[in-house]
Amino acid sequence: VAGEQVSHSAVDALDGDETRRRDGHLTTGDMARLSGNTLRTVRFYEEAQLLEPEYRTDGGHRLFSPSQLERLCLISNLRVSGLSLEAIRDLLQAKDSASCGSEAAKVTLDVLTTQIDAMRERLAIMQRLLNELEEARATLAQCATCARPDLFPDECRQCEVMQVKEALSASLKVLWGVERT
Amino acid sequence: VAGEQVSHSAVDALDGDETRRRDGHLTTGDMARLSGNTLRTVRFYEEAQLLEPEYRTDGGHRLFSPSQLERLCLISNLRVSGLSLEAIRDLLQAKDSASCGSEAAKVTLDVLTTQIDAMRERLAIMQRLLNELEEARATLAQCATCARPDLFPDECRQCEVMQVKEALSASLKVLWGVERT
DNA sequence: TTGCTCCTCACGTCACGTGAGGTGGC
DNA sequence: TTGCTCCTCACGTCACGTGAGGTGGC
């Protein structure tokens, strides 16, 4: 339970225990652990202008405010969702790019909508694929106790296991090599 | 409608029209167009042992069988879903790694299950995030006609628009900079 | 024959990973 | 004082992008 990436509620862990020290600030290691990233990634994001430590100690150690942890978690989730660091930067800097509230909102909405649409497309692809892979898994589960070893590996398509009523998923055809050609 | 990436049913386009020539085989360009990838990506996947042309012309042009297009579409969808090329190779080569059907099925199921679990995690993150971003979009839509320009940009948290009953989403807090600290 | 498509290097880029070698801080 | 953590280079890697310069094929 300890070392896992629980980036959706990482900030809650702050109130808990051992990571709270040095005033309310977080070290690079705290940021990494609580967000499920590596030290390198935290430093890389700082270099890429996506994060900024509130200050550094005399020894050069970075100290971040808790709000930067929330920022880092959002960045991580956006990365998992397929956005490039440039797209993430555009999103996070949108508010600053305008001089009044309504303009800032319009710019942010524009960038946000573009990325939401892209995420929806990727999400749809993932869901379709996940369904197919789960179908494939169910079919292959029967093959774990293969009843027609004589057909393996090239004639599996003739096996009754592969005669599914809703037609074989494209994924299984590729995985098991049971196309027509 | 023509040039889009419709990778979930790209193979259907084969029966249609202009891309069918040279016997039933597909050029690198056909593969790229029908799968929504670039020429470079198709060649790169061949070099990475993920694709293989059935043969080459005397001039060195690759010609692929239709089953390789299905394979390429699966690879593309797996990439969008966050798998590395190594993980994809493991999946696609699982069947070949065993000498009998039941062993092959077990190996494939093992690899498949690991990747399905990873996909489910990423999918959950994406769905949570997408919901938050859509909430954020709805809230910011009100800001497009900002009624409290005096609060922008640092005191927006005091605006009534930001007083949502179900509490502000973490994403919006980061995007609009309305944390407490 | 004219284009459009395809070819092979080969260097560039994005988002980090992975040490080497050294220092900071409770 | 001893460890564990953090620091800065700096080169490596993965998955392609992007030309340069040349040729193939209906």
Side-chain angles (χ1 to χ4, degrees), chain A residues 127-148:
Chain A
Q127 281 171 328
R128 244 193 329 261
L129 181 58
L130 192 55
N131 277 338
E132 284 207 8
L133 293 181
E134 279 166 352
E135 277 179 44
R137 219 186 69 84
T139 303
L140 285 182
Q142 302 175 245
C143 304
T145 55
C146 175
R148 295 296 303 277

Side-chain angles (χ1 to χ4, degrees), chain A residues 9-23:
Chain A
S9 59
V11 183
D12 303 347
L14 275 178
D15 308 317
D17 49 5
E18 56 217 305
T19 45
R20 188 140 226 178
R21 49 192 154 169
R22 247 166 314 251
D23 193 22

Side-chain angles (χ1 to χ4, degrees), chain B residues 3-151:
Chain B
E4 295 186 323
Q5 29 170 334
V6 280
S7 41
H8 54 290
S9 60
V11 182
D12 303 347
L14 275 179
D15 308 317
D17 48 5
E18 56 217 304
T19 44
R20 189 138 226 179
R21 50 192 151 165
R22 246 168 314 252
D23 193 22
H25 290 93
L26 300 160
T27 66
T28 309
D30 294 333
M31 294 282 283
R33 266 185 305 278
L34 293 170
S35 71
N37 287 292
T38 65
L39 291 169
R40 174 66 168 122
T41 298
V42 178
R43 292 177 194 135
F44 184 76
Y45 288 172
E46 184 202 3
E47 203 182 313
Q49 314 266 44
L50 291 168
L51 292 178
E52 205 182 342
E54 200 155 303
Y55 65 99
R56 289 197 184 214
T57 65
D58 292 347
H61 288 207
R62 281 164 261 250
L63 287 176
F64 295 90
S65 71
S67 69
Q68 290 292 302
L69 176 59
E70 297 197 64
R71 198 174 162 94
L72 174 54
C73 289
L74 177 57
I75 293 169
S76 302
N77 290 337
L78 288 167
R79 286 286 299 139
V80 168
S81 304
L83 278 75
S84 69
L85 292 188
E86 193 187 351
I88 295 173
R89 205 174 4 241
D90 288 347
L91 247 182
L92 295 178
Q93 291 178 349
K95 190 192 178 192
D96 310 335
S97 70
S99 50
C100 73
S102 59
E103 267 313 308
K106 281 171 194 164
V107 173
T108 306
L109 279 172
D110 190 36
V111 181
L112 193 53
T113 301
T114 303
Q115 296 304 329
I116 284 177
D117 290 347
M119 280 182 65
R120 282 213 190 101
E121 268 190 60
R122 282 189 290 268
L123 200 67
I125 290 176
M126 281 186 76
Q127 281 171 329
R128 242 190 333 260
L129 180 58
L130 192 54
N131 277 337
E132 284 208 9
L133 293 181
E134 279 166 351
E135 279 179 43
R137 219 186 68 85
T139 302
L140 285 181
Q142 302 174 244
C143 305
T145 56
C146 175
R148 296 294 305 276
D150 55 311
L151 296 177

Side-chain angles (χ1 to χ4, degrees), chain A residues 133-176:
Chain A
L133 293 181
E134 279 166 352
E135 277 179 44
R137 219 186 69 84
T139 303
L140 285 182
Q142 302 175 245
C143 304
T145 55
C146 175
R148 295 296 303 277
D150 55 311
L151 295 177
F152 184 83
D154 291 331
E155 303 302 327
C156 288
R157 85 176 63 87
Q158 295 179 28
C159 182
E160 66 163 338
V161 171
M162 296 290 158
Q163 319 303 321
V164 190
K165 27 189 179 315
E166 318 92 46
L168 274 191
S169 75
S171 297
L172 181 55
K173 282 187 202 167
V174 175
L175 274 180
W176 215 243

Side-chain angles (χ1 to χ4, degrees), chain A residues 95 98-108, chain B residues 140 142-153 156 176:
Chain A
K95 190 193 179 191
S99 51
C100 72
S102 60
E103 267 313 308
K106 281 171 193 163
V107 173
T108 306
Chain B
L140 285 181
Q142 302 174 244
C143 305
T145 56
C146 175
R148 296 294 305 276
D150 55 311
L151 296 177
F152 184 85
C156 288
W176 215 244

